[in-house]
């Protein structure tokens, strides 16, 4: 799966990345994801950015996350304060906890 490979490439927690994707794309059902390959409501001016492939969109999401991390924004709350207009840090953390529990059953 591209998301897991990109998480490894960018040294981003795959659980965090999946949680962001799930929340931002409505489990992959948002129109931004389906029509524009935009996994996280990434804006280009006053509209959503469009990417040619799903992997391109995911790569951009990881670039943004890595940039935040490289600039000292290392917690969910710090990154979400820039990423999202809504206060959704607690929801991301809850999703991460659920995904971590489920991941234990994947092995």
């Amino acid at each position: 799966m591209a998301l897991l490979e990109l998480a490894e490439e960018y040294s981003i927690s795959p659980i965090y990345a999946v949680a962001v994707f799930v929340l931002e794309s409505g489990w992959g059902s948002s129109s931004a994801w389906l029509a524009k390959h935009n996994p996280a409501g990434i804006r280009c001016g006053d509209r959503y950015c469009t990417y040619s492939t799903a992997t391109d969109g995911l790569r951009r999401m990881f670039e943004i996350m890595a940039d935040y991390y490289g600039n000292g924004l290392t917690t969910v709350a710090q990154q979400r304060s820039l990423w999202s207009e809504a206060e959704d840090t607690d929801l991301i953390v809850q999703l991460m906890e659920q995904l971590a529990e489920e991941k234990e059953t994947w092995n």
Side-chain angles (χ1 to χ4, degrees), residues 24 41 43 45 48 79-89:
E24 295 283 350
R43 306 288 279 178
Y48 290 118
Q79 288 202 6
R80 295 307 292 175
S81 70
L82 294 180
W83 192 280
S84 176
E85 295 174 15
E87 178 52 50
D88 58 11
T89 298

Side-chain angles (χ1 to χ4, degrees), residues 17-34 38-41 48 61 80 83 88 91-92 95:
V18 170
V20 169
F21 174 80
V22 163
L23 180 68
E24 295 283 350
S25 73
W27 291 91
S29 66
S30 74
S31 60
W33 174 247
L34 296 172
N38 187 324
Y48 290 118
M61 181 181 86
R80 295 307 292 175
W83 192 280
D88 58 11
L91 187 52
I92 289 286
L95 283 167

Side-chain angles (χ1 to χ4, degrees), residues 1-14:
M1 172 181 221
L3 194 143
L4 297 177
E5 292 169 4
L6 288 167
E8 185 175 331
E9 178 181 335
Y10 284 89
S11 299
I12 302 291
S13 162

Side-chain angles (χ1 to χ4, degrees), residues 1 4 14-15 18 27 96 98-107:
M1 172 181 221
L4 297 177
I15 291 176
V18 170
W27 291 91
M96 289 174 67
Q98 291 171 352
L99 291 164
E101 288 174 12
E102 290 179 22
K103 184 179 183 272
E104 291 177 16
T105 66
W106 300 343
N107 297 330

Side-chain angles (χ1 to χ4, degrees), residues 61-75:
M61 181 181 86
F62 279 99
E63 290 170 351
I64 292 168
M65 290 175 170
D67 183 58
Y68 288 167
Y69 190 82
N71 285 298
L73 303 174
T74 59
T75 69

